[in-house]
Amino acid sequence: MHNERINVTKTFLPPTEEYTAQLQGIWERGWLTNQGPLVQQLEKKVGEYLGLPELHFVSNGTVALQIALKALGIEEGEIITTPFSYVATTSAILWERCRPIYVDIRRDTLCIDADKIEAAITPNTRAILAVHVFGQPCDVEKIETIAKKHKIKVIYDGAHAFGATYKGKALLSYGDIATCSFHSTKLFHTVEGGCVITHDKATSEKVELIKRFGHDGDDHHMLGINAKASEFHAAMGLCNLKYIDDIIHRRKTIHELYHKLLRKEIKKLAVQEDVSHNYAYYPVIVKDEKQLEKIVGDLNKENIFPRRYFYPSLNKLPYVDSKHHCPISEDIARRILCLPLYHDLAEGAVQKISGIINNAYEA
Ligand SMILES: *Cc1c(COP(=O)(O)O)cnc(C)c1O
C-alpha cells in the first residue's frame, strides 16, 4: 500500500496564474530588488493586516533578529533569552558577539518564565530576547516592567506570532522591537523572508539603513548588512496574503479535530485567556522520550513525519558556553512533538495520526 508522505508542514502555494501575473509586472518594470514597488506594497499590506505600520521586510527571520540587536545599539554584553526555541534565536545573539543567558521556561506556555528573569540580570545585561513559542504570548506586561526597572531592551522573536493577538492587539506589537519569519515553513511566507517591527521613527530609520549596507547614497552612517528582500519574494507574499484568513481558518478546524481525537492524557497547549490564536503549530507533550520515539517510529512506518520542535534545549548546544541549567526546558524538549498541521491536511489523515498516537500511548 502506498501512502503519500505527510510532513509536519506543507507550504501553501497560491494559484500559479496569480504569481505569474506578478512576474509580468516585474518584467515590465525591470526592477528586481532594492526596495522595489512590490516590497513597498508588501510592507504596507502586511503592516495593515497586522495593524503595525512600521514593518520592515527583510531577507529572513534570523537576520531580522541581528538587525534588531544592532538597531538597539546592543554590541557585546549579556542577553537574557529562552532555551526553548529554534536555534536561530541563539545564533543571532552569538553572531552579534553577545552572550546568551538562559532562563528556564514555564510549563504551561513554554515561553520564558518572567518570574525567573530578574535573578539572571547583572550589570552586563543589555536585553531580553524572548520568543512567543508556538504563537503563545510571553508574559509581556511583567517583562516590560522588569525591563523598565533595569533599563534594558526587550526584543521578541515573533517567528511564530504572525496573526496572533493578545488583548486585542497584534502579539507582534509588544517589545522595543519584534521580528517575524516569513520562511516557507511558517504560517505566512514569502519563500524566504522576515520582518523587523519598530515603534519609533529613529529606530525605524536605523533598521532601514542597516538592512541596506548602512548607507544612503554616498553618506555612510553606520555598519550595515545586506538583508534586502527581492521583488520575487514580495510577489509570493502578496499572493499568499489574500489567502491567510482561509489558511488560519482551515488550521483551526484541524487543531480542533486533533484536540477532540487525541487521548485526554496527552498534554496539549492550552489556549490562554485574552489570546486569539493563529494555529501555527500543534505540539503534544508525551510521557517520556521512549514513548516519543515509539510514536515517531509508528508514524514514520505510515510515511508520517512529525518534528521534534524544539530539540535540543538550546543551553545544551555544543558551541554555547553554558553552565545554565534549565530543567524544565530540557525535560520538555525531550518529550515534545509537533504534529502535521497545514491548510489542506485531510481529516482522514488527522484521524489516522491521532489513532496511531492513541494506540502507542501507555500511561
Ligand atoms: C523560523 C524561526 C526563526 C528563523 O527564521 P528564518 O526566516 O528561517 O531565518 C527564528 N526564530 C524562530 C523561533 C523560528 O521558528
Side-chain angles (χ1 to χ4, degrees), residues 1 13 28 46 52 94 104 119 152 189 229 235 251 300 308 329:
M1 197 179 70
L13 283 168
E28 281 159 18
V46 175
L52 299 163
L94 292 170
D104 211 351
I152 55 178
H189 83 92
R251 285 171 169 268
N300 288 173
R308 296 187 71 172
S329 173

Side-chain angles (χ1 to χ4, degrees), residues 106-287:
R106 282 172 54 152
R107 278 194 189 274
D108 52 354
T109 64
L110 309 181
C111 296
I112 197 165
D113 188 341
D115 293 333
K116 293 180 182 157
I117 289 177
E118 275 200 284
I121 292 178
T122 74
N124 293 325
T125 307
R126 297 284 171 273
I128 300 167
L129 170 45
V131 181
H132 300 301
V133 179
F134 304 135
Q136 300 243 90
C138 295
D139 293 311
V140 290
E141 289 98 352
K142 265 191 204 163
I143 290 174
E144 190 180 335
T145 308
I146 295 166
K148 284 225 167 91
K149 183 172 152 199
H150 296 271
K151 300 193 171 55
I152 55 178
K153 303 288 185 187
V154 180
I155 300 168
Y156 285 111
D157 176 345
H160 303 173
F162 191 95
T165 68
Y166 175 62
K167 295 196 171 159
K169 268 172 57 181
L171 190 46
L172 289 169
S173 66
Y174 294 87
D176 291 294
I177 293 187
T179 64
C180 191
S181 165
F182 301 157
H183 184 254
S184 13
T185 53
K186 303 284 162 45
L187 181 63
F188 167 74
H189 83 92
T190 60
V191 187
E192 288 275 0
C195 70
V196 181
I197 289 150
T198 57
H199 305 291
D200 64 274
K201 200 155 171 281
T203 316
S204 175
E205 284 171 356
K206 263 194 195 159
V207 169
E208 276 307 306
L209 268 174
I210 295 169
K211 86 178 205 194
R212 291 183 266 163
F213 305 103
H215 73 98
D216 185 4
D218 291 337
D219 296 326
H220 290 259
H221 300 277
M222 61 188 296
L223 176 65
I225 197 166
N226 179 0
K228 289 175 275 128
S230 80
E231 292 292 276
F232 295 82
H233 295 90
M236 180 61 84
L238 288 166
C239 291
N240 288 340
L241 190 62
K242 279 188 7 202
Y243 297 95
I244 193 71
D245 288 335
D246 289 343
I247 293 169
I248 293 174
H249 184 77
R250 266 301 300 158
R251 285 171 169 268
K252 178 170 194 264
T253 310
I254 296 163
H255 226 265
E256 286 166 354
L257 191 58
Y258 271 132
H259 241 69
K260 196 176 86 187
L261 296 173
L262 286 168
R263 300 168 71 124
K264 282 198 302 293
E265 304 92 315
I266 298 172
K267 198 169 166 243
K268 309 158 190 88
L269 274 197
V271 174
Q272 287 171 259
E273 254 179 81
D274 298 323
V275 174
S276 116
H277 201 41
N278 62 5
Y279 307 98
Y281 297 87
Y282 197 91
V284 291
I285 300 168
V286 299
K287 195 180 67 174

